[in-house]
Amino acid sequence: MFYSIICSPPENLNTATKIPMEEITDIIGPLNEAQRQAVTTESRNTLVLAGAGSGKTRVLVHRIAWLIRAEKISPWSILAVTFTNKAAREMKGRVEQLLDMPSGTLWIGTFHGLAHRLLRNHWQEANLPQNFQILDSEDQLRLVRRLLKEMNLDEERWPPRQATWFINEQKDKGFRPQQIDTAGDFWLSQMVQLYTAYEAACQRGGMVDFAELLLRAHEMWLNNPELLNHYRNRFSHLLVDEFQDTNTIQYAWLRLLTGDNGSIFVVGDDDQSVYGWRGAQVENIRSFTREFPLVETLRLEQNYRSSGNILNAANALIDNNPGRLGKELWTEDNDGVPIQLYSAYNDLDEARFIAEQIQFWVDKGGRRDESAILYRSNAQSRVLEEALLSASIPYRIYGGLRFFERAEIKDALSYLRLMAHRHDDAAFERVVNTPTRGIGERTVMLVREYAQGAGISLWRAALAQTEGDQLAARARNALRNFLQLIEQMSHDGKDKALNEQVEIVLKNSSLIDHHKKNRSEKGLTRIENLEELVTAAGQFSPEDESLNLLDEFLAQAALESGDTQGDEWEDCVQLMTLHSAKGLEFHQVFLSGLEEGLFPHSRSSEDSEQLEEERRLCYVGITRARQKLTLSHAESRRLYGKESYPRVSRFIKEIPVELLQEVRIRSTISRPVNQRSSSYTQNHRSSILEDSGTGLQPGQQVRHAKFGEGTVLMLEGSGPQARIQIHFPEAGTKWLVAGYAKLEPT
Ligand code: ATP
Ligand code: MG
C-alpha cells in the first residue's frame, strides 16, 4: 500500500467504442500524409525524426488529441514532456482547442516540473520530508562553499562552482557517490567526498536541487516497484518533444516508466541538438530504436515554416556536419525574398541597423513581436538593447535577464553607487559581503540595528561600529577593511574616465577574481558581462554634459532595468540567445554577430565536436525564420571590454552566395580611419562615405573644452544629434553628441 493518495482514472473512458472518422477530421484534417501517419500510428513505440519546421511539435499535439478522441485513451493516462514551461502551456492550450475541452488531467510539463510533481505526491516513498525545499543554483553554491571549508579545502584550489558543476554532472549521469570509481585519483576522491557530505547536508535540511529532482524520482521508482507499476499502468502513453536534447538520467527515466508494455512517442531532430555542453546525449536517438521494443521510425520532409531561400540556406549549412542521421527537407513555398547580409562597421552600427529595419517593419504596419533578434552570447544584448531603447522600440528578453538586471552587473553598479554616495543603503547591503570578505550576517545585523536606532545610514553606522566595542575584533577589522576599500576606490577613481572607474571597481572589489574561481560556463558568462560593463561605460555619452557622468550613467542603468521593458503581453521585439530560440518561430529573424570567435564561439575552434554543435545552433537560428532572415556581422566589435576585428563567420561562407543579398543602405556612417576591414567585406562591398552635416570628417583634428585635442574616428547619424567618436590622447576614446560637444576644428 502507498502512503500517498493515488487518484483513480475517471470511469468509462477506456471502454467507449471508436467514433466515426468525420468527427476527427479537425484532428487529422490540417496534416499532410506523413504527419497523419505519425499521428494515427498503431505502432507501440514511435520515433519521428525530422528537420526543423516540419511539424514535429504539431504532430505531437495532434497525437495527444488523437489518442483521447479516437483511441479513447483517458487524458489521465497521458504524460507529455516539453522543453520549457512556456512550450508546455502552449501545448495544453492547443490540445484544449483541438478537443474543445479542458486539459486539466493531462500531465504536460518539463522533466523537472514533472519529477517535482511526483516527489510532492510521494515524498514518503522518496524519503523526503513533506515540505522539502528546492535549492536554486545560488543556494547550492553557498552550501558547497561551506562544505569545502569544513573539509579544509581552500577555494583557490577547489573552486566551489567547479565542485557544484561536478555534483550536478554526476547526478545528470545518474551517479551517486558510491557509484563513482575514483581509481585512486586524488582530485576525484576529494570531489566524491564532497558529494557525499553534500548529500548528507541536503538530506538533513530536506533540500533538493534541480538535478536531484530527476535522480530522486528515478530512484523512487526503482525502490518502490509497486509505485512504479502504478505509474506504468497509469501513464500508458508517453510523448516527448525535442528528444535530441535529453540527457542520461532523463532517458533512463523514460525507459523505466515505459517498461515493457507502455507506449512512447518521441519527436526530435539530431541537427538541432544544442545542449551537449550540458550533458545532452544526441546518441539517445540511436539508442531509442535499439532499446525500446518495436520502434517505428517515421520521417517528415515537408517544411511548412520557412521560405525556399531560408530552407536552402539551412540545408546547405548543416550539410557541412559529418555523421548526421540524414534528412531531406523541402517546401512548397516559393523562394521568398533573399537572405539579407549586412556587414556593419562595428557593433553599434549593427545594432542600429537592426533597430532601423524593425522600425521600417513597424511603420509598414507590422507587429513588433513578429521580429526576433538572436545572438550567441548574452553580453551581445546590451548594445542591441540600447539601440532599441534609443529608437523607442519596446523589447523583451526571452529566457534571460536584461543586461543591467544581471546579478553581477548589479554588484558592480552597487560599488559605483557607494563610491558616488556612501549612504546608499541598498548598495551597501548588496556588496558589503560580496564577494565574501568575512563580514557575517550577525555583523550586518548589528550595523542595521545601530543605523535604525540612530536614524543614520548603514555607512555611518558601520563607521561607528568600527570604533565601538560591540563587535568582535575580527568582525570590526573586516568591516573597517570594507569601508577603506570603498574610500580607496573612490580616491583612485577621482577624475578618471568612467570606464576606468569601472575597471577600478572590478579589480579592487575582486569581483572578476571571484567569478574566475568558477570555471563553468556561467562563471565565464559573468566575467564577460562584467567586462562588457567597461565597454558600456566607455561608450556612454550623457544627454547633459554638465551633470556628473557617474550619476548619469547610474541613472541610465537604473532606468533601463526599470519599467521600460515591455511585459509579456505587450507587442515587443523578442531578444534571445540562440539556445533559447529552440522550437520557436518568427516572421523575421535577425541573426547577429556572425563572426569567428563569437559564432562559432572561440571555445569551439579547436574541437570538431563543439564546432558541429555551434553549426547546429546556427541551423536552429536560421530555421526560426518564416519569411525574412537577416544575417549580420561587424568588422570591429567591442565586447567583453576589448576591441577586436573579427573575421566573418565561416557559417556565412557555408551559405550559397546566390541565396544572399548584401545590404547597402545609404548610410550616414563614415568608415572609421585606420580601421582595417575584413577581406571578405572588402571584396564584397564598397564603403559609403557621406556628409554627416556636422562639418566634420574622420581623421580631422578637433578641440574639446574638457578633453583637449583629439582625432575624429567615426560619425553616426547627422545634424546636432550625430554621434561622434573621438580619440583624445589624454582622455581616451569618447562618443560625443555633436549638438552638445562644442567641438572646434583645429
Ligand atoms: P522545430 O524543429 O523548429 O521544433 P517543428 O518540426 O516542431 O519545428 P512545428 O513548429 O510543429 O515544427 O511546425 C512549424 C510550422 O509549420 C508551424 O507554424 C506549424 O503550424 C506549421 N505546420 C506544420 N505542419 C503543417 C501543415 N500540415 N499544414 C500547415 N501548416 C503546418
Ligand atoms: Mg518543435
Side-chain angles (χ1 to χ4, degrees):
M1 221 12 241
F2 310 125
Y3 302 110
S4 355
I5 302 157
I6 296 175
C7 48
S8 322
E11 279 169 24
N12 291 335
L13 258 165
N14 286 323
T15 52
T17 48
K18 291 195 176 185
I19 50 169
M21 225 34 179
E22 47 274 23
E23 290 185 34
I24 43 176
T25 45
D26 47 344
I27 296 175
I28 53 169
L31 301 172
N32 68 27
E33 191 43 44
Q35 292 172 333
R36 196 170 299 167
Q37 210 185 329
V39 165
T40 61
T41 181
E42 290 184 2
S43 56
R44 196 160 92 221
N45 299 319
T46 312
L47 163 67
V48 178
L49 181 65
S54 58
K56 294 183 296 299
T57 303
R58 186 187 185 99
V59 159
L60 196 96
V61 168
H62 284 247
R63 171 81 178 163
I64 295 175
W66 171 266
L67 289 173
I68 295 171
R69 177 74 66 80
E71 303 276 336
K72 301 297 173 201
I73 304 295
S74 163
W76 191 81
S77 299
I78 292 174
L79 180 115
V81 190
T82 65
F83 208 71
T84 61
N85 290 309
K86 181 171 185 275
R89 280 196 300 277
E90 278 177 12
M91 197 170 276
K92 279 193 162 199
R94 293 281 297 123
V95 173
E96 285 180 5
Q97 208 184 341
L98 276 176
L99 295 178
D100 198 18
M101 65 175 222
S103 62
T105 45
L106 279 169
W107 276 42
I108 300 184
T110 61
F111 276 108
H112 287 125
L114 296 168
H116 174 244
R117 190 164 169 186
L118 280 169
L119 294 179
R120 283 279 173 224
N121 283 338
H122 304 288
W123 50 275
Q124 279 155 310
E125 288 90 341
N127 190 22
L128 287 169
Q130 187 167 15
N131 62 346
F132 71 87
Q133 297 297 307
I134 298 189
L135 273 188
D136 70 19
S137 47
E138 294 296 317
D139 302 330
Q140 191 187 21
L141 184 68
R142 220 169 295 133
L143 177 57
V144 164
R145 179 169 284 138
R146 199 187 82 215
L147 295 170
L148 284 169
K149 202 170 281 168
E150 282 173 17
M151 286 170 67
N152 288 323
L153 296 177
D154 83 286
E155 286 199 9
E156 292 292 324
R157 285 196 48 216
W158 306 89
R161 286 198 186 263
Q162 202 182 4
T164 315
W165 197 253
F166 172 83
I167 293 173
N168 292 341
E169 194 184 0
Q170 298 306 316
K171 289 189 180 186
D172 282 342
K173 288 187 192 156
F175 292 141
R176 292 295 183 191
Q178 54 277 15
Q179 291 163 301
I180 302 169
D181 178 11
T182 59
D185 182 292
F186 178 65
W187 182 84
L188 204 53
S189 62
Q190 294 289 308
M191 283 295 117
V192 169
Q193 208 180 322
L194 170 78
Y195 184 9
T196 311
Y198 174 84
E199 270 197 331
C202 285
Q203 191 61 29
R204 268 197 310 277
M207 298 176 297
V208 175
D209 61 45
F210 292 136
E212 180 76 22
L213 288 168
L214 280 162
L215 182 55
R216 187 63 76 113
H218 186 251
E219 288 171 349
M220 175 183 78
W221 279 333
L222 284 180
N223 298 334
N224 295 274
E226 227 180 317
L227 189 64
L228 175 61
N229 261 336
H230 166 77
Y231 278 104
R232 279 181 171 171
N233 291 333
R234 171 175 177 172
F235 292 127
S236 54
H237 288 80
L238 270 58
L239 301 102
V240 188
D241 199 1
E242 306 274 3
F243 183 70
Q244 75 279 358
D245 274 325
T246 48
N247 66 23
T248 306
I249 188 72
Q250 291 165 342
Y251 181 86
W253 205 87
L254 295 170
R255 184 72 199 90
L256 187 64
L257 186 56
T258 312
D260 291 332
N261 301 314
S263 165
I264 181 167
F265 185 95
V266 306
V267 306
D269 177 6
D270 56 315
D271 291 331
Q272 293 186 73
S273 158
V274 292
Y275 280 96
W277 57 281
R278 235 166 53 180
Q281 303 279 329
V282 66
E283 299 79 43
N284 285 345
I285 295 186
R286 286 186 208 274
S287 316
F288 183 81
T289 49
R290 279 197 314 268
E291 295 172 10
F292 285 77
L294 306 168
V295 173
E296 178 188 27
T297 302
L298 296 168
R299 289 174 190 260
L300 309 174
E301 298 185 336
Q302 182 171 1
N303 174 293
Y304 285 90
R305 181 180 291 145
S306 309
S307 70
N309 283 334
I310 293 171
L311 196 61
N312 288 337
N315 283 341
L317 174 100
I318 201 65
D319 213 28
N320 290 283
N321 269 6
R324 301 165 54 217
L325 294 175
K327 294 180 298 310
E328 294 299 323
L329 265 188
W330 59 274
T331 176
E332 267 177 6
D333 203 3
N334 51 29
D335 287 350
V337 294
I339 295 165
Q340 303 213 321
L341 172 63
Y342 183 64
S343 304
Y345 293 113
N346 59 19
D347 47 333
L348 301 173
D349 178 27
E350 179 187 49
R352 214 198 41 173
F353 169 75
I354 293 174
E356 263 173 23
Q357 296 292 305
I358 293 174
Q359 193 57 53
F360 280 147
W361 169 252
V362 173
D363 289 347
K364 281 191 299 185
R367 284 179 61 82
R368 285 183 280 264
D369 59 11
E370 289 172 313
S371 300
I373 310 177
L374 310 181
Y375 39 84
R376 174 66 182 87
S377 150
N378 265 311
Q380 280 171 265
S381 80
R382 184 189 60 80
V383 171
L384 294 163
E385 285 178 62
E386 280 176 6
L388 291 168
L389 281 170
S390 73
S392 305
I393 301 173
Y395 64 92
R396 195 170 100 81
I397 295 205
Y398 183 90
L401 290 175
R402 286 153 46 101
F403 184 77
F404 284 111
E405 284 169 4
R406 297 188 177 123
E408 63 279 14
I409 298 299
K410 281 175 136 179
D411 292 343
L413 290 175
S414 293
Y415 279 101
L416 286 167
R417 278 161 57 183
L418 273 185
M419 283 159 66
H421 303 283
R422 302 287 190 278
H423 310 303
D424 183 334
D425 283 354
F428 186 98
E429 285 264 10
R430 186 166 184 108
V431 293
V432 63
N433 201 33
T434 305
T436 40
R437 50 172 68 88
I439 301 177
E441 189 47 34
R442 210 185 87 80
T443 309
V444 179
M445 275 275 285
L446 282 173
V447 172
R448 264 192 223 118
E449 280 167 12
Y450 190 91
Q452 217 171 9
I456 53 175
S457 66
L458 292 173
W459 178 272
R460 281 235 171 82
L463 211 55
Q465 289 286 1
T466 55
E467 276 146 23
D469 55 7
Q470 246 187 316
L471 289 176
R474 244 186 44 199
R476 233 180 13 241
N477 276 339
L479 202 55
R480 187 175 300 126
N481 288 344
F482 171 67
L483 300 179
Q484 277 170 0
L485 173 73
I486 301 292
E487 292 289 0
Q488 188 64 42
M489 283 182 185
S490 183
H491 176 265
D492 293 350
K494 210 158 178 269
D495 298 323
K496 289 268 165 56
L498 205 54
N499 53 335
E500 292 174 66
Q501 294 189 38
V502 177
E503 272 169 0
I504 288 169
V505 164
L506 298 187
K507 188 159 167 286
N508 295 13
S509 69
S510 320
L511 275 175
I512 295 256
D513 290 345
H514 169 68
H515 293 297
K516 258 191 195 144
K517 288 182 198 142
N518 162 24
R519 293 187 205 139
S520 72
E521 190 84 11
K522 223 169 171 178
L524 290 173
T525 307
R526 296 216 154 120
I527 294 172
E528 287 172 357
N529 285 335
L530 285 170
E531 286 167 349
E532 180 64 6
L533 187 64
V534 179
T535 309
Q539 289 174 346
F540 179 68
S541 59
E543 306 273 34
D544 184 344
E545 295 229 9
S546 66
L547 294 176
N548 176 308
L549 202 59
L550 178 54
D551 279 346
E552 282 287 275
F553 182 64
L554 290 170
Q556 189 205 326
L559 287 173
E560 280 202 18
S561 66
D563 44 43
T564 38
Q565 178 170 22
D567 64 32
E568 194 165 349
W569 315 113
E570 206 189 333
D571 177 23
C572 303
V573 176
Q574 314 281 305
L575 263 71
M576 68 196 82
T577 62
L578 285 147
H579 281 101
S580 307
K582 213 166 58 131
L584 306 178
E585 59 186 31
F586 305 91
H587 180 90
Q588 68 170 338
V589 167
F590 295 88
L591 199 53
S592 64
L594 277 154
E595 294 140 32
E596 288 291 306
L598 184 57
F599 191 31
H601 201 282
S602 54
R603 269 170 267 154
S604 68
S605 63
E606 309 271 281
D607 181 323
S608 63
E609 272 183 29
Q610 282 190 29
L611 181 64
E612 285 161 30
E613 181 151 318
E614 292 286 303
R615 191 175 281 113
R616 291 193 292 268
L617 199 54
C618 189
Y619 176 79
V620 167
I622 292 175
T623 54
R624 296 312 94 198
R626 286 208 291 261
Q627 297 299 317
K628 197 164 175 209
L629 175 66
T630 304
L631 310 175
S632 56
H633 70 99
E635 293 174 14
S636 104
R637 179 177 298 277
R638 279 199 77 82
L639 193 70
Y640 316 142
K642 285 189 289 287
E643 181 106 30
S644 63
Y645 302 92
R647 279 180 295 131
V648 178
S649 169
R650 70 191 74 192
F651 298 152
I652 288 186
K653 297 177 188 168
E654 289 171 2
I655 296 175
V657 75
E658 62 274 15
L659 301 177
L660 295 173
Q661 181 185 52
E662 291 198 56
V663 190
R664 294 159 201 266
I665 45 167
R666 270 179 61 79
S667 170
T668 52
I669 299 168
S670 28
R671 176 172 290 279
V673 285
N674 297 334
Q675 186 176 306
R676 105 194 130 75
S677 71
S678 66
S679 57
Y680 182 82
T681 48
Q682 253 172 5
N683 296 337
H684 286 74
R685 61 180 279 173
S686 51
S687 87
I688 305 157
L689 270 167
E690 282 194 15
D691 186 8
S692 62
T694 57
L696 296 171
Q697 288 290 331
Q700 193 172 343
Q701 295 292 309
V702 289
R703 178 189 300 283
H704 182 269
K706 194 154 117 208
F707 305 131
E709 274 193 23
T711 314
V712 176
L713 295 180
M714 216 186 297
L715 294 143
E716 281 193 10
S718 57
Q721 294 304 321
R723 281 157 50 83
I724 310 164
Q725 193 186 32
I726 305 174
H727 178 71
F728 296 100
E730 312 246 304
T733 303
K734 308 244 173 247
W735 277 101
L736 301 173
V737 177
Y740 296 113
K742 302 199 186 71
L743 297 167
E744 288 171 26
T746 61

